[in-house]
Short mmCIF file of all heavy atoms in Angstrom, two decimals:
data_model
loop_
_atom_site.label_atom_id
_atom_site.label_comp_id
_atom_site.label_asym_id
_atom_site.label_seq_id
_atom_site.Cartn_x
_atom_site.Cartn_y
_atom_site.Cartn_z
N ILE A 4 -20.71 -75.13 -109.03
CA ILE A 4 -20.69 -74.50 -107.76
C ILE A 4 -19.63 -75.14 -106.82
O ILE A 4 -18.97 -74.34 -106.07
CB ILE A 4 -22.17 -74.75 -107.02
CG1 ILE A 4 -23.18 -74.09 -107.93
CG2 ILE A 4 -22.14 -74.30 -105.62
CD1 ILE A 4 -24.56 -74.35 -107.50
N ILE A 13 -9.23 -74.53 -100.32
CA ILE A 13 -7.81 -74.97 -100.37
C ILE A 13 -7.00 -73.68 -100.24
O ILE A 13 -5.86 -73.66 -99.53
CB ILE A 13 -7.56 -75.65 -101.78
CG1 ILE A 13 -8.21 -77.01 -101.79
CG2 ILE A 13 -6.06 -75.80 -101.96
CD1 ILE A 13 -8.30 -77.69 -103.12
N GLY A 19 -3.42 -70.01 -94.22
CA GLY A 19 -3.29 -70.23 -92.79
C GLY A 19 -1.98 -70.87 -92.37
O GLY A 19 -1.36 -70.50 -91.41
N LEU A 22 0.90 -68.36 -92.77
CA LEU A 22 0.89 -67.36 -91.65
C LEU A 22 1.52 -68.00 -90.42
O LEU A 22 2.25 -67.34 -89.62
CB LEU A 22 -0.51 -66.77 -91.37
CG LEU A 22 -0.97 -65.82 -92.49
CD1 LEU A 22 -2.40 -65.48 -92.27
CD2 LEU A 22 -0.20 -64.55 -92.61
N ALA A 23 1.11 -69.26 -90.22
CA ALA A 23 1.56 -69.98 -89.01
C ALA A 23 3.10 -70.20 -89.12
O ALA A 23 3.83 -69.90 -88.11
CB ALA A 23 0.86 -71.27 -88.91
N GLY A 50 0.88 -42.42 -68.14
CA GLY A 50 2.05 -41.60 -68.62
C GLY A 50 2.76 -40.88 -67.56
O GLY A 50 3.60 -40.01 -68.02
N TYR A 60 6.78 -48.44 -70.24
CA TYR A 60 7.64 -48.32 -68.94
C TYR A 60 8.28 -49.72 -68.67
O TYR A 60 9.45 -49.64 -68.17
CB TYR A 60 6.73 -47.89 -67.92
CG TYR A 60 7.46 -47.69 -66.53
CD1 TYR A 60 8.51 -46.94 -66.31
CD2 TYR A 60 6.90 -48.38 -65.46
CE1 TYR A 60 9.33 -46.77 -65.22
CE2 TYR A 60 7.62 -48.27 -64.20
CZ TYR A 60 8.70 -47.52 -64.13
OH TYR A 60 9.33 -47.33 -62.82
N ALA A 103 10.56 -25.25 -41.44
CA ALA A 103 9.89 -24.07 -40.97
C ALA A 103 10.76 -22.84 -40.96
O ALA A 103 11.89 -22.87 -40.40
CB ALA A 103 9.08 -24.19 -39.70
N GLU A 129 29.73 23.14 -38.76
CA GLU A 129 28.79 23.89 -39.61
C GLU A 129 29.20 23.69 -41.10
O GLU A 129 28.20 23.55 -41.83
CB GLU A 129 29.02 25.37 -39.33
CG GLU A 129 28.35 25.85 -37.99
CD GLU A 129 28.52 27.26 -37.71
OE1 GLU A 129 29.33 27.92 -38.44
OE2 GLU A 129 27.97 27.75 -36.75
N ASN A 131 30.49 20.83 -42.40
CA ASN A 131 30.31 19.47 -42.81
C ASN A 131 29.20 18.74 -42.03
O ASN A 131 29.06 17.60 -42.00
CB ASN A 131 31.66 18.60 -42.48
CG ASN A 131 32.87 19.12 -43.27
OD1 ASN A 131 33.02 18.92 -44.31
ND2 ASN A 131 33.70 19.92 -42.54
N LEU A 165 37.68 14.39 -41.50
CA LEU A 165 36.30 13.88 -41.60
C LEU A 165 36.18 12.42 -41.18
O LEU A 165 35.24 11.97 -40.40
CB LEU A 165 35.70 14.10 -42.97
CG LEU A 165 34.18 13.91 -43.18
CD1 LEU A 165 33.39 14.99 -42.36
CD2 LEU A 165 33.91 14.15 -44.59
N LYS A 206 26.60 33.34 -55.96
CA LYS A 206 26.48 32.35 -54.97
C LYS A 206 26.18 30.98 -55.43
O LYS A 206 26.75 29.99 -54.92
CB LYS A 206 25.26 32.82 -54.02
CG LYS A 206 25.11 31.97 -52.79
CD LYS A 206 24.02 32.46 -51.97
CE LYS A 206 23.95 31.52 -50.62
NZ LYS A 206 22.79 32.03 -49.82
N MET A 208 26.98 29.41 -58.12
CA MET A 208 28.38 28.72 -58.64
C MET A 208 29.26 28.39 -57.54
O MET A 208 29.85 27.35 -57.57
CB MET A 208 29.01 29.66 -59.60
CG MET A 208 28.09 30.09 -60.99
SD MET A 208 27.74 28.46 -61.88
CE MET A 208 29.37 28.12 -62.71
N LEU A 209 29.43 29.34 -56.57
CA LEU A 209 30.26 29.10 -55.45
C LEU A 209 29.88 27.91 -54.65
O LEU A 209 30.60 27.06 -54.22
CB LEU A 209 30.42 30.37 -54.61
CG LEU A 209 31.15 31.53 -55.32
CD1 LEU A 209 30.87 32.86 -54.44
CD2 LEU A 209 32.65 31.36 -55.44
N GLU A 244 39.84 28.52 -55.57
CA GLU A 244 41.11 28.14 -54.97
C GLU A 244 41.03 28.35 -53.42
O GLU A 244 41.45 27.45 -52.57
CB GLU A 244 42.30 28.87 -55.47
CG GLU A 244 42.67 28.59 -56.91
CD GLU A 244 43.05 27.09 -57.03
OE1 GLU A 244 43.72 26.52 -56.27
OE2 GLU A 244 42.54 26.47 -58.06
N PRO A 255 25.30 36.08 -47.90
CA PRO A 255 25.26 37.46 -48.16
C PRO A 255 24.43 38.34 -47.13
O PRO A 255 24.81 39.39 -46.85
CB PRO A 255 24.62 37.62 -49.59
CG PRO A 255 24.83 36.36 -50.23
CD PRO A 255 24.83 35.29 -49.11
N GLU A 268 33.09 54.85 -53.05
CA GLU A 268 32.95 56.17 -53.67
C GLU A 268 32.17 55.98 -55.08
O GLU A 268 32.46 55.02 -55.75
CB GLU A 268 34.27 56.80 -53.95
CG GLU A 268 34.19 58.26 -54.39
CD GLU A 268 35.52 58.84 -54.61
OE1 GLU A 268 36.64 58.21 -54.21
OE2 GLU A 268 35.58 60.02 -55.09
N LYS A 281 22.09 55.32 -67.31
CA LYS A 281 22.24 54.31 -66.36
C LYS A 281 22.52 52.96 -66.85
O LYS A 281 23.28 52.17 -66.46
CB LYS A 281 20.96 54.33 -65.40
CG LYS A 281 21.11 53.31 -64.20
CD LYS A 281 20.01 53.38 -63.30
CE LYS A 281 20.15 52.29 -62.16
NZ LYS A 281 18.94 52.29 -61.24
N LEU A 284 25.98 52.54 -68.13
CA LEU A 284 27.03 52.56 -67.05
C LEU A 284 26.96 51.30 -66.22
O LEU A 284 27.93 50.59 -66.00
CB LEU A 284 26.64 53.71 -66.12
CG LEU A 284 26.83 55.11 -66.71
CD1 LEU A 284 26.26 56.16 -65.80
CD2 LEU A 284 28.34 55.42 -66.78
N LEU A 302 31.86 48.58 -75.35
CA LEU A 302 31.12 49.65 -74.87
C LEU A 302 31.91 50.95 -75.09
O LEU A 302 31.52 51.96 -75.42
CB LEU A 302 30.65 49.57 -73.51
CG LEU A 302 29.54 48.38 -73.28
CD1 LEU A 302 29.27 48.17 -71.84
CD2 LEU A 302 28.25 48.85 -73.94
N GLU A 303 33.25 50.76 -74.74
CA GLU A 303 34.26 51.92 -74.83
C GLU A 303 34.31 52.40 -76.26
O GLU A 303 34.29 53.63 -76.55
CB GLU A 303 35.63 51.62 -74.22
CG GLU A 303 35.60 51.51 -72.68
CD GLU A 303 37.08 51.11 -72.20
OE1 GLU A 303 37.59 50.30 -72.78
OE2 GLU A 303 37.41 51.80 -71.24
N TYR A 318 33.44 55.88 -67.41
CA TYR A 318 33.92 54.40 -67.64
C TYR A 318 35.32 54.27 -66.88
O TYR A 318 35.49 53.26 -66.26
CB TYR A 318 34.07 54.12 -69.07
CG TYR A 318 32.84 53.85 -69.77
CD1 TYR A 318 32.80 53.79 -71.17
CD2 TYR A 318 31.59 53.76 -69.12
CE1 TYR A 318 31.65 53.44 -71.83
CE2 TYR A 318 30.38 53.41 -69.78
CZ TYR A 318 30.40 53.34 -71.20
OH TYR A 318 29.24 53.06 -71.85
N LYS A 322 36.35 51.79 -63.75
CA LYS A 322 37.51 50.91 -63.80
C LYS A 322 38.44 51.20 -62.67
O LYS A 322 39.17 50.21 -62.30
CB LYS A 322 38.27 51.17 -65.17
CG LYS A 322 37.50 50.43 -66.34
CD LYS A 322 38.13 51.12 -67.65
CE LYS A 322 39.36 50.42 -68.09
NZ LYS A 322 39.78 50.80 -69.53
N PRO A 337 20.85 72.37 -57.60
CA PRO A 337 20.05 73.65 -57.65
C PRO A 337 20.45 74.72 -58.54
O PRO A 337 20.28 75.82 -58.23
CB PRO A 337 20.13 74.00 -56.18
CG PRO A 337 21.51 73.65 -55.81
CD PRO A 337 21.87 72.44 -56.58
N LYS A 376 3.52 87.92 -76.10
CA LYS A 376 4.80 88.57 -76.27
C LYS A 376 5.70 88.50 -74.98
O LYS A 376 6.82 88.22 -74.94
CB LYS A 376 4.58 90.14 -76.71
CG LYS A 376 5.88 90.73 -77.01
CD LYS A 376 5.80 92.20 -77.51
CE LYS A 376 7.02 92.73 -77.86
NZ LYS A 376 6.92 94.15 -78.46
N GLU A 393 25.06 75.45 -82.29
CA GLU A 393 24.03 74.72 -81.55
C GLU A 393 22.83 74.70 -82.50
O GLU A 393 22.00 73.70 -82.47
CB GLU A 393 23.74 75.36 -80.20
CG GLU A 393 24.85 75.11 -79.22
CD GLU A 393 24.58 75.86 -77.85
OE1 GLU A 393 23.78 76.92 -77.85
OE2 GLU A 393 24.98 75.40 -76.78
N GLU A 395 22.64 74.83 -85.69
CA GLU A 395 22.93 73.98 -86.82
C GLU A 395 22.74 72.48 -86.35
O GLU A 395 22.14 71.56 -87.02
CB GLU A 395 24.31 74.15 -87.45
CG GLU A 395 24.57 73.22 -88.58
CD GLU A 395 23.69 73.49 -89.79
OE1 GLU A 395 23.29 74.64 -89.88
OE2 GLU A 395 23.60 72.56 -90.57
N ARG A 396 23.21 72.21 -85.14
CA ARG A 396 23.09 70.80 -84.60
C ARG A 396 21.69 70.48 -84.29
O ARG A 396 21.23 69.33 -84.58
CB ARG A 396 23.87 70.76 -83.23
CG ARG A 396 24.08 69.34 -82.80
CD ARG A 396 24.92 69.30 -81.49
NE ARG A 396 26.23 70.01 -81.61
CZ ARG A 396 26.92 70.41 -80.66
NH1 ARG A 396 26.53 70.29 -79.37
NH2 ARG A 396 28.08 71.04 -80.90
N ASN A 424 29.24 50.29 -88.94
CA ASN A 424 29.82 49.86 -87.62
C ASN A 424 28.89 48.82 -86.94
O ASN A 424 29.39 47.84 -86.39
CB ASN A 424 30.19 50.94 -86.77
CG ASN A 424 31.30 51.92 -87.34
OD1 ASN A 424 32.18 51.39 -87.98
ND2 ASN A 424 31.17 53.14 -86.97
#
Side-chain angles (χ1 to χ4, degrees):
I4 296 171
I13 294 168
L22 290 171
Y60 179 55
E129 287 179 351
N131 300 278
L165 193 59
K206 186 178 179 182
M208 298 297 287
L209 292 167
E244 291 301 318
E268 190 178 353
K281 185 179 179 182
L284 292 167
L302 293 170
E303 284 181 320
Y318 282 170
K322 288 163 78 172
K376 188 177 180 182
E393 288 175 337
E395 182 64 25
R396 194 179 301 162
N424 290 330

